Amino acid sequence: MSEVFDFSGNKDFFPGGSIYPNPKESSLFLSLGPNVDVFFPPSKRSRVNAPYVFSGEKFERKQPSIEVLPDECLFEVFRRLYGGQEKSACACVSKRWLTLLSSIRSDEVCIKEGPKSLEPEEYEAKKTMDCNQKGEMANSKGIKPDLEAEDLDIVEDGYLSRCLEGKKATDVRLAAIAVGTGSRGGLGKLSIRGSNARRGVTNFGIKAIAHGCPSLRVLSLWNTSAISDEGLIEIASGCHRLEKLDLSHCNAVTDKALLAIAKNCPNLTSLTIESCPNIGNGSLEAVGHYCSSLKSVTIKNCSLVGDHGIASLFSKAGNVLAKVRLESLNISDVSLAVIGRYGNALTDLALIGLQNVNERGFWVMGNCQGLLNLRSILVTACQGVTDVGLEAVGKGSPNLKRVCLKKCAFLSDNGLVSFVKAAASLEIFQLDECHRITQSGFFGMLINSCGKLKALALANCFGIKDLVFGSHFRALPSSIRSLAVRNCPGFGDGSLSTLAKLCPNLVHLELSTLGGITDEGLLPLVESSEAGLVKVNLSGCVNLTDKVTAAIAKLHGCTLEELNLDGCKCVTDATLFAIAEHCSLLSELDVSKSRITDAGTAALAGADQLCLRILSLSGCNLVSNRSLLSVEKLGQTLMGLNIQRCYGVKSDALDLLAERLWRCDILF
């Protein structure tokens, strides 16, 4: 050993002078790490790399770096950071630092101020006060407050919201959001729609949100196949304030995750599960048992959900559930019977595509007398909707106000009339693709509504055939204020003349894609309206002319606010002249694919009382550049303009108009 310390470089041990001026400084010599090729006694391996290395004939000193510290040390440093700016600055150093920062739970943060540690409530209060003071100081100096995360929106409830779609949905971005929003209370609403094909969202990103955003209230995951139970269990343990959960096409999520959510998130009020093949009855049973605040449930296309799950949900949470939507499920009449028995708080019910539900299910649901608070029901493509079943639902729901029936192939006129008589509070009724309904059922429903029906919509019902009732027809006027008939080829002038006797209180009128109606049929209905029409939609009625459209403007100009004449190819400038003269409240006008010219638009521009906000001239081939001058005069109030497929208008004139009407949204 003495030879080593007395070595002066004259021997072959090292081709140079003495390493140290004082060769007896063994402490410096022995502090070298294992990477230095010299002799020293065996010792514990150093975790830090040596500050000296050999390179040729001399030592090179490495620059000191905090990166040599292990993750455990950095974790202890990061959890002692106080402000959000400091955390955001550290997160920008490297992906490693960002990962460590995002892994710190809220209860692992060490907050100290002087000798006294702050309680979480005191810390939140102080943090809010400091943020307010910083904001006031920044505003007083004309400086905008710094934001740690980008593209954050403030929603109505006052918490931060973020939506990631497609390529933007990555784990790194979620970790940055978790760190950046932590100093402002954390994220309140997060929606992830799809994910990056190469670096998609995984459990790591969801864990970062769970650690950094304990105040998360709304979480929506759509088409995120890499997120499994592991990520959602972390959300359950870290985000106890969760109120709304939306899972769609999450193939890796099972009942285990939903069980954890139900146990740890007592404030859950809304649950949506769509196309999740591994979620079944166990999830619904757990949610019904633990979530006492549950108000809304939507379940769609989940093959493992059956009668047991629906029965467990309603038997345990039926006294709080208000809105339920069941679509494309393998459930039977048993589920409907349970809904009718335990759905005491149910106000909105939607049953869609339930192929295994028969007439008995609807009959039992209506006769169980449990749907006393039901206000709205939607039934689509359910074979069990028959005359008997629908009448039972009407009798068992005394407060039912809104009904929508779609694709009910076995419903007939008798069942429709019986239902209207049984539903004592019915106000809004919609029928779509019910082909067994004829003119008799349609008018029978109006006559037997006992003055309570306010809105009626009929669409795509090919069983309607135009009938002309004789002069002996007498009926009390109905209370209908809104009438909509769409794409019913058999609906013609005879039906309109009968409606003129039954509907004197019409305010909203929609007759779209009805090629069988003419001026002679519609004019009596227009003249019979005593309340004054406010919204009129006659799109696709190709046989209507200026005679009836101008009459609408003259008779109801004081009340008319919206007029849609899209596709009425026989309408000309005469209608626009009448509008300019009589309509003072009109705000939306659509005359697309009509025969109007520049003279008609000039008349609109010359009407001082007219305050149009939306104007559509799409497909009007007789309109030229002169109309743009007229449109420019409407620019003070105009917010939307559609002049697509107006081939008489040149592109340079459109560019000039767009510059002058910079407040208006122009489609061309």
Side-chain angles (χ1 to χ4, degrees):
M1 181 63 70
S2 61
E3 294 180 359
V4 174
F5 291 122
D6 294 335
F7 179 73
S8 61
N10 297 327
K11 298 181 182 181
D12 295 333
F13 185 77
F14 180 76
S18 176
I19 298 178
Y20 299 106
N22 184 6
K24 297 297 183 179
E25 294 181 358
S26 60
S27 61
L28 294 175
F29 187 79
L30 296 177
S31 66
L32 299 179
N35 294 333
V36 182
D37 191 15
V38 295
F39 172 79
F40 61 94
S43 63
K44 195 177 216 179
R45 187 174 64 176
S46 174
R47 296 185 64 180
V48 183
N49 292 333
Y52 298 94
V53 295
F54 285 110
S55 177
E57 297 182 356
K58 60 180 181 179
F59 285 108
E60 289 184 358
R61 184 180 179 88
K62 283 187 176 181
Q63 294 295 329
S65 173
I66 197 174
E67 285 291 342
V68 301
L69 292 178
D71 291 348
E72 295 83 359
C73 295
L74 288 176
F75 181 87
E76 291 298 324
V77 173
F78 291 155
R79 79 187 191 97
R80 285 168 171 80
L81 294 178
Y82 174 73
Q85 293 183 352
E86 291 83 356
K87 292 182 180 179
S88 298
C90 292
C92 295
V93 172
S94 66
K95 184 177 179 181
R96 178 193 175 201
W97 285 29
L98 174 62
T99 303
L100 287 173
L101 282 165
S102 64
S103 65
I104 301 175
R105 301 175 183 270
S106 58
D107 56 355
E108 293 174 338
V109 177
C110 182
I111 304 298
K112 288 187 177 181
E113 185 177 358
K116 179 183 177 181
S117 298
L118 295 179
E119 295 296 332
E121 294 79 4
E122 298 175 353
Y123 168 64
E124 291 294 336
K126 184 180 185 304
K127 182 174 64 175
T128 303
M129 183 177 64
D130 293 343
C131 292
N132 293 336
Q133 292 177 353
K134 291 179 181 180
E136 293 174 359
M137 294 175 61
N139 291 334
S140 64
K141 297 179 180 180
I143 303 174
K144 294 182 179 180
D146 184 29
L147 297 178
E148 290 86 352
E150 299 179 354
D151 302 330
L152 290 168
D153 302 323
I154 303 298
V155 299
E156 291 79 1
D157 293 334
Y159 48 75
L160 297 172
S161 173
R162 189 67 188 268
C163 180
L164 303 180
E165 298 185 15
K167 295 181 179 180
K168 292 185 178 181
T170 62
D171 286 339
V172 175
R173 191 177 295 268
L174 285 178
I177 291 173
V179 174
T181 61
S183 61
R184 289 176 286 164
L187 203 64
K189 180 179 180 180
L190 175 63
S191 297
I192 303 176
R193 302 181 180 183
S195 60
N196 193 298
R198 295 182 178 180
R199 304 184 305 274
V201 175
T202 64
N203 292 324
F204 170 78
I206 296 299
K207 287 181 179 180
I209 294 295
H211 297 159
C213 305
S215 60
L216 187 69
R217 298 178 181 176
V218 180
L219 177 62
S220 299
L221 303 178
W222 297 354
N223 195 19
T224 53
S225 57
I227 296 178
S228 64
D229 294 341
E230 182 182 355
L232 285 180
I233 290 175
E234 203 71 25
I235 289 287
S237 62
C239 305
H240 300 297
R241 299 181 183 178
L242 191 66
E243 298 176 0
K244 182 178 180 180
L245 179 62
D246 186 351
L247 302 177
S248 178
H249 295 85
C250 298
N251 299 333
V253 178
T254 68
D255 290 339
K256 184 179 179 181
L258 268 296
L259 177 60
I261 293 287
K263 287 184 177 180
N264 295 280
C265 302
N267 296 329
L268 191 68
T269 60
S270 177
L271 175 64
T272 299
I273 306 173
E274 178 180 351
S275 300
C276 297
N278 294 316
I279 294 180
N281 297 328
S283 297
L284 299 184
E285 185 175 2
V287 168
H289 180 73
Y290 292 104
C291 300
S292 59
S293 301
L294 194 64
K295 302 295 183 183
S296 175
V297 170
T298 298
I299 308 172
K300 177 181 178 182
N301 194 25
C302 295
S303 56
L304 296 183
V305 174
D307 290 329
H308 178 71
I310 301 299
S312 300
L313 176 66
F314 272 90
S315 61
K316 297 177 180 180
N319 57 337
V320 294
L321 269 178
K323 297 182 179 180
V324 174
R325 183 183 180 95
L326 306 178
E327 182 173 356
S328 302
L329 301 178
N330 296 323
I331 60 177
S332 65
D333 298 336
V334 175
S335 296
L336 265 63
V338 175
I339 292 175
R341 173 64 179 84
Y342 294 101
N344 301 322
L346 200 60
T347 59
D348 297 82
L349 176 62
L351 306 174
I352 304 171
L354 305 181
Q355 301 299 326
N356 297 327
V357 175
N358 299 318
E359 178 184 85
R360 182 178 58 179
F362 283 93
W363 185 87
V364 175
M365 183 176 68
N367 283 281
C368 282
Q369 302 298 320
L371 302 178
L372 300 179
N373 294 313
L374 189 63
R375 301 288 190 274
S376 173
I377 184 171
L378 165 66
V379 183
T380 301
C382 293
Q383 299 180 357
V385 179
T386 61
D387 297 346
V388 176
L390 188 61
E391 183 181 3
V393 172
K395 291 180 179 179
S397 308
N399 295 310
L400 188 61
K401 296 182 179 298
R402 180 169 183 171
V403 176
C404 181
L405 304 178
K406 297 181 179 180
K407 299 181 180 180
C408 298
F410 298 102
L411 182 63
S412 67
D413 294 337
N414 294 330
L416 189 62
V417 174
S418 300
F419 172 74
V420 171
K421 291 180 179 180
S425 302
L426 187 62
E427 295 181 356
I428 302 175
F429 202 106
Q430 299 178 7
L431 286 173
D432 192 351
E433 295 188 46
C434 297
H435 301 307
R436 293 188 64 185
I437 302 300
T438 66
Q439 206 83 338
S440 177
F442 177 75
F443 286 108
M445 180 172 49
L446 287 176
I447 296 172
N448 292 278
S449 62
C450 301
K452 58 183 180 292
L453 197 61
K454 299 293 189 297
L456 177 62
L458 193 68
N460 305 304
C461 293
F462 298 152
I464 298 291
K465 303 298 180 183
D466 201 26
L467 297 176
V468 179
F469 293 89
S471 58
H472 63 278
F473 177 79
R474 293 288 184 273
L476 294 175
S478 68
S479 57
I480 291 288
R481 296 180 61 83
S482 176
L483 176 64
V485 182
R486 311 180 191 97
N487 192 30
C488 295
F491 202 91
D493 291 342
S495 302
L496 291 178
S497 61
T498 306
L499 285 175
K501 302 175 183 178
L502 294 175
C503 304
N505 300 313
L506 274 182
V507 174
H508 299 163
L509 176 62
E510 179 180 352
L511 303 173
S512 58
T513 321
L514 300 179
I517 64 174
T518 63
D519 296 344
E520 286 70 20
L522 181 57
L523 193 57
L525 180 61
V526 172
E527 293 174 345
S528 67
S529 179
E530 300 174 357
L533 294 175
V534 177
K535 296 180 181 180
V536 177
N537 184 356
L538 303 175
S539 60
C541 297
V542 295
N543 293 321
L544 298 181
T545 67
D546 293 324
K547 180 179 180 180
V548 68
T549 53
I552 293 174
K554 293 177 182 179
L555 295 174
H556 306 282
C558 296
T559 59
L560 192 63
E561 296 179 1
E562 297 179 14
L563 179 60
N564 189 342
L565 303 176
D566 182 12
C568 298
K569 60 183 181 180
C570 297
V571 172
T572 65
D573 293 335
T575 297
L576 298 188
F577 294 154
I579 291 174
E581 182 179 356
H582 300 283
C583 296
S584 57
L585 300 178
L586 191 65
S587 61
E588 297 185 18
L589 176 62
D590 190 344
V591 288
S592 302
K593 299 186 286 293
S594 63
R595 295 175 57 190
I596 66 168
T597 64
D598 297 334
T601 57
L604 291 179
D608 296 333
Q609 81 283 0
L610 197 60
C611 297
L612 279 179
R613 300 183 72 248
I614 298 177
L615 175 62
S616 179
L617 306 175
S618 176
C620 296
N621 297 325
L622 301 179
V623 171
S624 66
N625 289 345
R626 295 181 180 179
S627 292
L628 299 185
L629 299 176
S630 302
V631 170
E632 187 177 349
K633 295 180 181 180
L634 298 171
Q636 294 182 354
T637 59
L638 204 61
M639 302 298 293
L641 175 64
N642 186 356
I643 47 178
Q644 293 178 318
R645 295 184 297 277
C646 294
Y647 302 112
V649 180
K650 304 302 180 182
S651 58
D652 53 348
L654 290 174
D655 295 336
L656 181 61
L657 180 67
E659 293 179 1
R660 294 178 178 178
L661 299 182
W662 55 272
R663 295 177 55 188
C664 182
D665 186 10
I666 303 178
L667 298 177
F668 58 88

